[in-house]
Amino acid sequence: MKSVDAHPVPSESPASRPERILVCLGPSPFGERLLREGLRMARASGGELWALHVEPPLPRQGEADRLSMEGNLRLAEELGARLFVRPGDDVAAVAADFARRHGVTRILAGKPLLPRWRTLLRGTLVDRMIRLSGSISVVAFSGVEALPPSRGDGPSPRAYGGGLALALAATAVGLPLSRVMAPANVVMVYLAAVLVAALFLGRGPSAVTAVVGVLAFDVFLVPPYYTLAVADSQYLVTFAGLLGVGLVVSGLASRAREQAREARRREEEALALHAFSRDLAAAASREAVVAAVTEHLSRMLGWDSALFLADGSGGLRAVTPLPPTAGLEAMVGDVHRLGRSQETTGGALGLPLEVPGEKVGVLVLFPRQESRSGRLRDTVVLQAAQALHHLLLDERAREAELLQVREKIQTALLNSISHEIRTPLSSITGVLSSLRGGAKAFAFDEASRSALIETAWSEARRLNGLVGNLLGMSRLEAGALRLALEPCDPAEIVAHVLDQMHERLEGREVETELPREACLVTVDFIFFSLVLVNLVDNALKYSPPGSPLALAVRRCGSASLVFDVLDRGPGIPEAFREKVFEKFFRLAPGGGGTGLGLAISKGIVEAHGGTLEALSRRDGGTVMRVTLPEAVEP
């Protein structure tokens, strides 16, 4: 149940603050009438409706009263009242003190019709509240018969029989003691019996022990024996003292026992809520939150549960298994739409999971046994709604961040297109315009025409590589890369790469090294060849013209294969060996390209389950090393 005790009430001047209508709520048969009358008064005066429940330190309610109390508190929330819960025994004193502290202008309370004698002897709650509230107006609503007091589950007949047995046992102990000591001293045996009954049996059985003990003491230990008559009137004082002390001791002991039991129950609830909050804080996914909610509801309340979460389109989807229950789906839809709890004919209870401004879902409870605390249940529901809402906000934040990253990538791609693709397009356009038909086309000799055609061909291949890299990165970013894995011969892959790069490699000495023993590697032939092509192309760009290159393949251990592309360039500074694999990073800004080749290669290698790293060559230069996890014997 929601409570605003932790929120301080703002201090306002008497002239500026609105009228505050305070409704005192309890297990009253006319709590709904009080709330609706208070709401009408608040709306008429433009004020605020507050509701106060004074909770006694010891449970004094039966099951019917408890359910009525929880219904009143839930109605107060539905009507928009600010709900406060305060501990205390004296309802009138706590309510009057609360009203004075927080500037309440009117107090609404119920005045049940009591018998005349009870009104004269004990007074009424409203009378005490009027005396204690000072200048605050108290409005009393009467006309409803008072319910008989309910004390919950009383002691069993066996407990009363135990009290009687304790009194008789005290008499059996006291008879031999009375021969060696005065009867007045034997009274302590009966007091001990009363104390034991109060501690272990309850208030009623301890009172029975006190009364029966007085009678047994008179009959068996005070002369004349076996009669209620008393020879010495002084024993009357002993009887009265024994009875009075016995009743007081029984009341105090049983009250301490009840307080200890209630404190233990509240401690169990607090520890359960602490464990639940800890598990919710550690939950990093919806599945973890759902598991924590269902597990703790079963452990704390003994109820099975089912969870429905909003799907973003106004509907609900079940995220836990559903037991067959008649009318469950219709009830869940009504709870989600109306935002109010409902119950099916089969006993399933639907509770809305809501936070201010958003409906998160619906929690359905299937009782296996009676719930111990409605407020404990509502606290679990509120915490579950907040945890799910926080996860939803995190997902939205991640989506917004991902969208922002994609927008940056798109902007960078457009910039790359405008700067890098324009150059080969301009060259191709210039060559085609020079070779275009007409008399001017024949003005070039054969060598000039061949040179122009070669330029156009080279620029077209460069443009094709740029576009391929852009498309490859787009596929990696979208998660659309699908590998066709098959066992391949490393020698065949190397031969294919050298054949593709033969024109670029003219004038270069290329040294190849292959493993002596035959082996196969499981890769996508096309995509992995693209990786090696990008690495060789990168070595050509960042090494002096005419310097040698090397492409080596070797076994590493029993289940790894290593591909090395080696050059004799200036090398990569250690600070940049990780950054060269980032998108759009270029070690030499004027070196051309989009800065995507190594990023795409790393993504493809990692999709194969391998690694790509940049290392320094011992005699100068760079080693681009690809390590694949599986080498299979043919």
Side-chain angles (χ1 to χ4, degrees):
M1 188 67 63
K2 179 173 65 178
S3 175
V4 293
D5 288 356
H7 300 286
V9 179
S11 58
E12 300 168 310
S13 64
S16 62
R17 69 189 177 201
E19 184 173 10
R20 289 171 179 163
I21 312 297
L22 179 66
V23 176
C24 295
L25 287 181
S28 168
F30 50 95
E32 180 178 356
R33 178 185 173 189
L34 287 175
L35 286 169
R36 297 195 183 280
E37 287 290 341
L39 180 62
R40 182 186 61 78
M41 292 181 181
R43 287 177 176 175
S45 62
E48 301 175 350
L49 176 61
W50 289 12
L52 173 67
H53 169 54
V54 179
E55 185 177 76
L58 295 178
R60 300 180 180 177
Q61 302 171 0
E63 184 61 24
D65 288 349
R66 186 183 66 80
L67 294 176
S68 175
M69 183 69 251
E70 291 180 2
N72 289 338
L73 295 178
R74 190 173 295 110
L75 178 62
E77 289 185 337
E78 293 175 359
L79 295 179
R82 293 188 62 180
L83 182 60
F84 297 85
V85 178
R86 292 289 187 269
D89 270 328
D90 192 337
V91 175
V94 174
D97 179 69
F98 179 87
R100 286 194 303 270
R101 287 176 179 270
H102 301 308
V104 171
T105 54
R106 271 187 281 183
I107 302 175
L108 274 62
K111 184 180 180 181
L113 297 179
L114 299 173
R116 183 74 176 171
W117 65 269
R118 287 186 60 186
T119 303
L120 294 175
L121 290 177
R122 301 176 55 183
T124 64
L125 172 67
V126 174
D127 295 335
R128 296 196 68 247
M129 195 174 295
I130 292 174
R131 290 197 304 270
L132 297 173
S133 60
S135 60
I136 302 173
S137 300
V138 178
V139 181
F141 290 85
S142 186
V144 179
E145 292 291 341
L147 295 178
S150 174
R151 297 290 178 176
D153 298 328
S156 64
R158 181 178 296 179
Y160 285 99
L164 179 60
L166 281 172
L168 297 178
T171 303
V173 173
L175 280 173
L177 292 178
S178 63
R179 298 192 183 100
V180 296
M181 62 178 62
N185 295 328
V186 184
V187 169
M188 302 305 298
V189 177
Y190 289 95
L191 288 179
V194 171
L195 182 60
V196 171
L199 289 176
F200 297 99
L201 301 179
R203 182 175 304 180
S206 65
V208 170
T209 304
V211 173
V212 174
V214 169
L215 296 176
F217 180 71
D218 181 19
V219 171
F220 295 103
L221 300 179
V222 175
Y225 301 108
Y226 310 114
T227 178
L228 292 177
V230 178
D232 190 349
S233 61
Q234 292 181 358
Y235 281 112
L236 296 177
V237 178
T238 303
F239 297 157
L242 174 59
L243 181 60
V245 172
L247 293 177
V248 170
V249 168
S250 68
L252 293 177
S254 58
R255 182 178 179 85
R257 176 171 171 264
E258 292 172 0
Q259 287 177 337
R261 186 190 302 120
E262 180 67 11
R264 191 160 50 249
R265 184 189 66 82
R266 293 182 179 179
E267 180 184 9
E268 290 175 357
E269 291 184 357
L271 290 175
L273 285 177
H274 171 72
F276 179 59
S277 302
R278 181 191 59 210
D279 289 350
L280 282 185
S285 64
R286 287 194 179 187
E287 292 75 14
V289 172
V290 170
V293 171
T294 54
E295 177 186 352
H296 283 276
L297 279 174
S298 177
R299 185 186 306 167
M300 288 188 290
L301 303 177
W303 286 25
D304 294 327
S305 60
L307 196 59
F308 294 79
L309 297 182
D311 56 9
S313 60
L316 293 170
R317 60 183 179 88
V319 295
T320 56
L322 300 178
T325 304
L328 181 61
E329 294 184 0
M331 182 268 287
V332 168
D334 292 341
V335 170
H336 184 62
R337 184 178 66 257
L338 302 176
R340 293 199 301 268
S341 59
Q342 292 189 18
E343 189 172 355
T344 64
T345 54
L349 177 63
L351 301 168
L353 297 176
E354 293 182 329
V355 294
E358 187 161 2
K359 296 179 178 180
V360 179
V362 174
L363 177 66
V364 182
L365 301 177
F366 304 92
R368 295 198 307 261
Q369 61 188 41
E370 190 57 46
S371 174
R372 294 181 301 169
S373 171
R375 277 182 296 168
L376 178 63
R377 177 198 64 204
D378 292 339
T379 301
V380 171
V381 170
L382 180 60
Q383 290 189 3
Q386 291 175 343
L388 291 169
H389 185 244
H390 289 163
L391 286 177
L392 182 61
L393 293 180
D394 289 342
E395 291 177 1
R396 291 174 180 172
R398 285 194 295 270
E399 290 176 357
E401 184 178 359
L402 181 59
L403 181 60
Q404 186 178 10
V405 171
R406 287 178 178 174
E407 289 177 352
K408 289 182 179 179
I409 292 174
Q410 290 174 357
T411 302
L413 289 174
L414 291 175
N415 291 337
S416 298
I417 290 173
S418 62
H419 287 84
E420 303 297 339
I421 300 183
R422 184 177 300 172
T423 300
L425 279 177
S426 299
S427 300
I428 295 171
T429 302
V431 170
L432 292 178
S433 119
S434 301
L435 296 177
R436 199 173 176 183
K440 294 182 180 180
F442 298 97
F444 297 101
D445 56 20
E446 188 65 25
S448 299
R449 292 179 63 189
S450 296
L452 289 173
I453 292 173
E454 183 63 28
T455 299
W457 173 249
S458 176
E459 294 297 327
R461 292 191 63 180
R462 178 185 173 192
L463 179 61
N464 182 61
L466 292 173
V467 172
N469 281 341
L470 292 173
L471 293 177
M473 181 53 64
S474 298
R475 294 175 69 180
L476 284 174
E477 292 289 340
L481 185 63
R482 298 291 182 267
L483 300 178
L485 299 176
E486 58 181 352
C488 300
D489 186 356
E492 184 179 355
I493 297 174
V494 171
H496 178 72
V497 170
L498 295 178
D499 182 62
Q500 276 194 302
M501 301 289 294
H502 76 277
E503 292 185 1
R504 296 284 313 278
L505 292 172
E506 287 185 2
R508 296 267 190 162
E509 178 185 350
V510 180
E511 179 183 351
T512 60
E513 179 184 346
L514 298 173
R516 294 181 180 180
E517 65 278 9
C519 64
L520 297 178
V521 61
T522 304
V523 294
D524 185 303
F525 186 89
I526 301 300
F527 280 109
F528 190 71
S529 298
L530 176 62
V531 170
L532 296 182
V533 167
N534 281 336
L535 296 182
V536 172
D537 183 68
N538 188 75
L540 291 173
K541 289 178 183 177
Y542 293 98
S543 61
S547 61
L549 301 178
L551 207 164
V553 183
R554 57 186 174 83
R555 293 289 295 268
C556 181
S558 60
S560 296
L561 203 65
V562 174
F563 290 78
D564 285 341
V565 178
L566 306 93
D567 64 51
R568 289 296 183 184
I572 301 174
E574 187 174 355
F576 296 105
R577 288 179 189 169
E578 292 296 330
K579 294 183 68 66
V580 294
F581 298 107
E582 296 179 2
K583 296 184 290 291
F584 312 114
F585 179 82
R586 288 179 290 184
L587 196 59
T594 59
L596 292 176
L598 292 181
I600 293 173
S601 299
K602 187 175 181 65
I604 294 175
V605 170
E606 290 179 349
H608 282 83
T611 60
L612 173 59
E613 54 186 338
L615 306 172
S616 292
R617 200 172 179 184
R618 179 176 302 176
D619 299 329
T622 301
V623 180
M624 288 292 180
R625 176 164 296 170
V626 177
T627 304
L628 295 178
E630 294 183 1
V632 183
E633 295 293 337

